[in-house]
Amino acid sequence: IRAGVSELSFAYRWIPDEILWRYCSRDTFAAMHVDHWADARLSEGCRRVWEDISLPAIQALAVMESNGLPIDVPRLDTLNLYFEARVIDSLKACHVHAPGLNPNSPPQVIAALKAAGIVPKLKKGKVSTDEVSLSPFKDKSPLVGAILEYRRMVKLHKTYGVGLRRAVRGDGRVHPSALLDGAATGRISIENPSAQNIPRNKDEEGNEDGKMIRDCICAPEGRTLVEGDFSQLEIRKAAYLSGDQVMIDLLKTGEDFHQQAANLMGIGRA
């Protein structure tokens, strides 16, 4: 709480310290026994994965969580106000085409769309007003474009304007939780806040809201923020494990692997 985290995020906030101490002691004691029980039953292969891969990775993620992400709070506050204004403007745009419309109400949206001669596709026997269903009509009706823009701005405002700001602690940083296998694909995921899902710098329609959000993550004075990513990691692992010389040679060229593979199969660029 003293670090700046909302009281609403902590049910423990309302539990007396004496009870919490006993609970934490027993929790630690029980975890130790579970660890001993599980350790005695690990196969050699599982033990190697745990000791050589999982445990070092968890320790690295713990350091990441502790360090957190430094946030330019004044810039984020300004961005929050900007998003608020964009939400208001997009709602006004909706009302130009459908006075009094609540874009968050599916029944109202369906009625407004029918009045405009638009009937979205059915999903599970019902008319859907989600983004996938409305997007095909975006160029046919300004109302659809206004609704989608309103919803997009509301999501940005709640998730990154309000949500990210609430997550900033007293040290001026956010400390998201890093989960080693949080994604369905087995990849690392980041949540509370979901820092890994910040929109791209520029989306398909040219909006740079993602860049403005990313600009709020700053390097401390005297430091430089570096962004890195593995290039074609899965393909490189496949080439290494299989020893396929053709794959290895294609990767060594540094050119587009997929296009080179397509050329070998006689498939031209679409």
Side-chain angles (χ1 to χ4, degrees):
I1 302 300
R2 289 190 295 271
V5 180
S6 170
E7 292 184 1
L8 297 178
S9 301
F10 281 84
Y12 294 153
R13 166 68 176 80
W14 311 108
I15 302 176
D17 289 343
E18 293 79 6
I19 296 177
L20 280 178
W21 294 336
R22 291 199 299 272
Y23 166 77
C24 290
S25 298
R26 293 176 179 178
D27 192 24
T28 304
F29 182 75
M32 179 185 67
H33 280 277
V34 171
D35 176 65
H36 291 165
W37 178 88
D39 184 72
R41 288 162 175 78
L42 279 178
S43 66
E44 187 58 34
C46 289
R47 185 182 303 280
R48 186 169 61 252
V49 170
W50 168 248
E51 294 180 349
D52 296 342
I53 301 176
S54 297
L55 187 56
I58 291 172
Q59 293 169 340
L61 294 180
V63 173
M64 287 173 50
E65 289 187 17
S66 178
N67 290 340
L69 296 171
I71 301 295
D72 186 336
V73 176
R75 182 190 289 268
L76 180 58
D77 288 339
T78 301
L79 181 62
N80 195 11
L81 294 175
Y82 170 73
F83 282 160
E84 285 183 8
R86 291 280 299 276
V87 169
I88 294 173
D89 289 344
S90 57
L91 181 59
K92 289 180 179 178
C94 291
H95 290 167
V96 168
H97 306 287
L101 172 68
N102 177 4
N104 297 318
S105 170
Q108 290 189 29
V109 170
I110 292 172
L113 292 176
K114 287 183 177 180
I118 297 174
V119 181
K121 294 181 178 179
L122 296 177
K123 278 191 175 182
K124 297 181 179 181
K126 296 181 179 179
V127 177
S128 173
T129 62
D130 61 14
E131 181 179 358
V132 175
S133 300
L134 295 185
S135 292
F137 303 98
K138 188 174 182 179
D139 296 331
K140 300 179 181 179
S141 170
L143 173 60
V144 174
I147 291 172
L148 292 176
E149 176 65 8
Y150 170 80
R151 291 177 177 176
R152 187 179 75 86
M153 291 312 308
V154 166
K155 182 178 180 179
L156 287 175
H157 178 232
K158 287 185 176 181
T159 305
Y160 301 108
V162 177
L164 190 60
R165 183 64 181 88
R166 285 178 177 172
V168 177
R169 299 191 186 180
D171 59 358
R173 296 171 176 242
V174 294
H175 297 264
S177 299
L179 306 178
L180 183 60
D181 57 353
T185 57
R187 293 188 176 190
I188 295 172
S189 67
I190 307 293
E191 64 180 19
N192 299 322
S194 181
Q196 72 182 36
N197 291 326
I198 296 176
R200 291 177 294 178
N201 285 341
K202 182 181 289 189
D203 63 20
E204 296 176 353
E205 298 183 1
N207 297 305
E208 296 190 353
D209 302 311
K211 182 180 185 304
M212 291 189 288
I213 297 168
R214 291 171 183 265
D215 285 346
C216 293
I217 302 175
C218 59
E221 186 175 354
R223 303 274 184 168
T224 300
L225 187 62
V226 178
E227 180 179 355
D229 191 12
F230 284 108
S231 173
Q232 300 177 320
L233 177 60
E234 288 82 0
I235 296 175
R236 294 180 186 276
K237 288 195 291 186
Y240 173 78
L241 293 173
S242 67
D244 188 292
Q245 195 59 47
V246 175
M247 293 182 69
I248 294 173
D249 291 341
L250 287 178
L251 288 169
K252 285 183 176 179
T253 65
E255 299 179 11
D256 186 324
F257 176 89
H258 299 289
Q259 185 58 50
Q260 294 297 320
N263 292 340
L264 287 175
M265 293 184 287
I267 303 174
R269 184 180 294 274

